[in-house]
Amino acid sequence: MPVDVATAALDRLLELTVVLGRDMSGHLAGQGLTESRAHLLFVLHGTGPTTQRALADALDVTPRTVTGLVDGLEASGHITREPHPTDRRATLVTPTPAGAAAARALAEGRVELARALFADWRPDDVERLTAGLDAVLSRVQTLVEESS
Amino acid sequence: MPVDVATAALDRLLELTVVLGRDMSGHLAGQGLTESRAHLLFVLHGTGPTTQRALADALDVTPRTVTGLVDGLEASGHITREPHPTDRRATLVTPTPAGAAAARALAEGRVELARALFADWRPDDVERLTAGLDAVLSRVQTLVEESS
DNA sequence: TATTGTTATACTCTATAACTATA
DNA sequence: TATAGTTATAGAGTATAACAATA
């Protein structure tokens, strides 16, 4: 495998991470959200009321960081803190109606983006691309695990 | 184009941005660098001595942010500040030998990663993937420009 | 004793605004 | 008058460590 062919592919991937990130940020700003807070809200939307501890695990982040993110989302009206019914140490985080609406809008935005990106493609080609990305993905994951 | 086929492809791309970012961070930490500082150092390595103003433009960041990044890189011994020979307002930023070595190591690491990722691939398939990513890339760029 | 979430502290990236020294 | 880089200030994400309340 020629090195320049491989590096060309990696370069495109790295550039895509930048450009996609920029596009995402635009959508998030419209909902009054940052990337990290949107991530938390999205996880929450998928699971229902969740303790901060569980969120820390899900986001792969320390409990202290979750405190900050939840503080921000509470102040912006996207979520509420409620006492855990049986464990008085724990807090349950729940989306407000506005928070749930924002999460739905984000999910919808992702579908829109996918539609816009691949509108002109043949389904076969998209599936081939997905398969290729899957292969790269599992390889990277293996490499990360090996090196840690 | 079925929506689920398109969203599957986008999902892999978004997941790859996360995983690739994690892998990159590992390499950077080994050089005592953060992502932003590594980016600056990398640009510098490609251009030679550069004013902070030019770095701000190249990184698409405010001059104040460059001040902070250069402060950090100077403290860690990766770069030096020197007076501009003709414009006494300006500062020229130059990599130290250690900084240049770190930049080379990063570049080498990227080649290593590319090699590892695509070792088992046929060159044709890698080129097809690159072409696909190129198409997605230019589409995203169009979308970002339209929405701004 | 172990766990949940907090306060305390610190570092990084980012931005805007005001200011100094120069062009 | 305009530009280069700084100080001042602020917000966000992240981390570790110490601590209170609870299990």
Side-chain angles (χ1 to χ4, degrees), chain B residues 28 30-33 37-38 41-42 44-45 72-80 94-107:
Chain B
L28 300 179
Q31 302 290 333
L33 290 168
R37 291 176 190 176
L41 186 60
F42 204 75
L44 202 58
H45 191 243
L73 286 163
E74 198 175 29
S76 60
H78 289 96
I79 58 107
T80 58
T94 310
T96 62
R104 280 193 302 272
L106 291 179

Side-chain angles (χ1 to χ4, degrees), chain A residues 61-127:
Chain A
V61 117
T62 64
R64 179 60 184 88
T65 296
V66 171
T67 299
L69 297 175
V70 168
D71 283 350
L73 286 163
E74 199 175 30
S76 59
H78 290 96
I79 57 106
T80 58
R81 277 183 168 105
E82 287 173 38
H84 191 287
T86 65
D87 186 340
R88 292 200 304 186
R89 294 171 305 179
T91 304
L92 281 181
V93 181
T94 311
T96 61
R104 281 194 302 272
L106 291 180
E108 178 58 30
R110 223 178 48 183
V111 172
E112 287 294 323
L113 176 59
R115 224 195 298 258
L117 284 187
F118 299 108
D120 299 341
W121 289 51
R122 293 199 330 242
D124 276 6
D125 289 334
V126 177
E127 276 167 2

Side-chain angles (χ1 to χ4, degrees), chain A residues 3-139:
Chain A
V3 167
D4 55 328
V5 173
T7 55
L10 178 57
D11 281 352
R12 302 319 147 88
L13 275 175
L14 293 176
E15 197 171 345
L16 254 178
T17 69
V18 174
V19 181
L20 277 178
R22 228 194 295 276
D23 184 87
M24 293 286 131
S25 298
H27 290 276
L28 299 178
Q31 302 290 332
L33 289 168
T34 64
E35 210 150 333
S36 298
R37 290 175 190 177
H39 190 188
L40 191 155
L41 186 59
F42 205 75
V43 167
L44 201 60
H45 191 244
T47 61
T50 307
T51 64
Q52 296 189 190
R53 173 74 224 184
L55 287 171
D57 290 340
L59 301 177
D60 199 26
V61 117
T62 64
R64 179 60 184 88
T65 296
V66 171
T67 299
L69 297 175
V70 168
D71 283 350
L73 286 163
E74 199 175 30
S76 59
H78 290 96
I79 57 106
T80 58
R81 277 183 168 105
E82 287 173 38
H84 191 287
T86 65
D87 186 340
R88 292 200 304 186
R89 294 171 305 179
T91 304
L92 281 181
V93 181
T94 311
T96 61
R104 281 194 302 272
L106 291 180
E108 178 58 30
R110 223 178 48 183
V111 172
E112 287 294 323
L113 176 59
R115 224 195 298 258
L117 284 187
F118 299 108
D120 299 341
W121 289 51
R122 293 199 330 242
D124 276 6
D125 289 334
V126 177
E127 276 167 2
R128 232 188 310 277
L129 180 69
T130 301
L133 293 174
D134 265 337
V136 175
L137 198 51
S138 67
R139 180 61 76 97

Side-chain angles (χ1 to χ4, degrees), chain B residues 34 36-37 61-62 64-65 69 86-89:
Chain B
T34 64
S36 297
R37 291 176 190 176
V61 116
T62 64
R64 179 59 184 91
T65 297
L69 297 175
T86 63
D87 187 340
R88 293 200 305 188
R89 294 170 306 178

Side-chain angles (χ1 to χ4, degrees), chain B residues 101-121:
Chain B
R104 280 193 302 272
L106 291 179
E108 179 57 30
R110 221 178 48 183
V111 173
E112 286 294 322
L113 176 59
R115 225 195 298 260
L117 284 186
F118 299 108
D120 298 341
W121 288 51

